Amino acid sequence: MIRPTQSSTFSLVSRGLNFNFTKLAFAQERVATGKAILRPSDDAVGTARSLSMRRQLGQLDRYREAVSAGRPILETSTAALENASGLITEARSLLITALSGSLSPNDRETIGRQIEQIVAELVDVGNTKIGDRYVFAGTETSTRPFTLSSDGSAQSVSYNGNDAIQSISVGFGAELQLNLPGSELFGTSGVQ
């Protein structure tokens, strides 16, 4: 039979107290900082998950910033296209009126001038800018996309942008298209 000595009992109690004191200090540190993992050695798996989540949060912040930057472009484009739709409706109405057999040549000439004015307004809509960027120029945002030229008897509109599409990343593997090139929206053929 083995009898514990006073020295071995004291050593056992002392080790227990030190162990409990260490656990108490660790718990107090966790409560004071509000963090479950204070050092990578506290929880290796938890540390790896935490780092992965921080990386994902950083990506989400970038996506949120991209969406915030893209929103004004989409809002400006939408407003411009609504304006263009109204102008096209007005031009269509004038053309139908001009086809009436009861109008005189002077009346048709007046309608022609009104339509020329609408074309000029459509060119202005096609050249809509947000900041220093043209909205409908494809990726050539510093280039004025549409120019209106006249040779005296006829007007023509030319497209100077490109056909590339701008898009932003809004999620893991998700892209949002910010624009359609002006050549696709308004066409590039001359108006006479």
Side-chain angles (χ1 to χ4, degrees):
M1 170 177 278
I2 301 176
R3 289 182 65 188
T5 64
Q6 196 173 16
S7 172
S8 66
T9 303
F10 176 78
S11 176
L12 184 63
V13 169
S14 178
R15 274 195 312 259
L17 285 172
N18 282 337
F19 178 73
N20 286 340
F21 179 73
T22 302
K23 282 177 53 177
L24 176 65
F26 181 72
Q28 285 176 333
E29 190 177 20
R30 288 175 75 181
V31 168
T33 61
K35 295 181 179 180
I37 302 172
L38 301 171
R39 294 165 210 78
S41 61
D42 293 343
D43 182 1
V45 173
T47 299
R49 287 181 58 198
S50 173
L51 291 173
S52 173
M53 287 182 178
R54 275 192 191 158
R55 195 170 34 259
Q56 288 177 359
L57 284 173
Q59 288 173 336
L60 289 174
D61 285 340
R62 284 191 297 279
Y63 295 142
R64 187 172 357 117
E65 289 170 10
V67 168
S68 294
R71 178 168 289 168
I73 295 170
L74 292 173
E75 290 171 352
T76 301
S77 299
T78 300
L81 291 175
E82 287 173 358
N83 189 11
S85 177
L87 290 169
I88 291 169
T89 301
E90 184 180 347
R92 180 179 293 140
S93 173
L94 287 170
L95 282 172
I96 290 171
T97 302
L99 292 175
S100 169
S102 63
L103 294 178
S104 70
N106 286 338
D107 293 337
R108 286 194 176 104
E109 189 175 315
T110 301
I111 289 174
R113 282 192 296 274
Q114 289 174 327
I115 290 174
E116 286 176 353
Q117 182 61 38
I118 289 173
V119 168
E121 290 177 39
L122 279 170
V123 167
D124 287 342
V125 169
N127 290 330
T128 298
K129 287 175 79 172
I130 182 164
D132 60 346
R133 299 174 52 161
Y134 288 98
V135 176
F136 300 115
T139 56
E140 294 286 330
T141 59
S142 62
T143 303
R144 185 178 181 97
F146 293 98
T147 53
L148 178 65
S149 56
S150 177
D151 64 5
S153 64
Q155 288 183 329
S156 65
V157 177
S158 58
Y159 181 66
N160 306 312
N162 64 25
D163 294 333
I165 294 173
Q166 299 174 35
S167 60
I168 56 172
S169 182
V170 293
F172 301 107
E175 296 279 320
L176 173 68
Q177 185 174 324
L178 281 180
N179 74 330
L180 284 174
S183 60
E184 188 174 328
L185 289 170
F186 299 104
T188 58
S189 60
V191 177
Q192 298 188 14

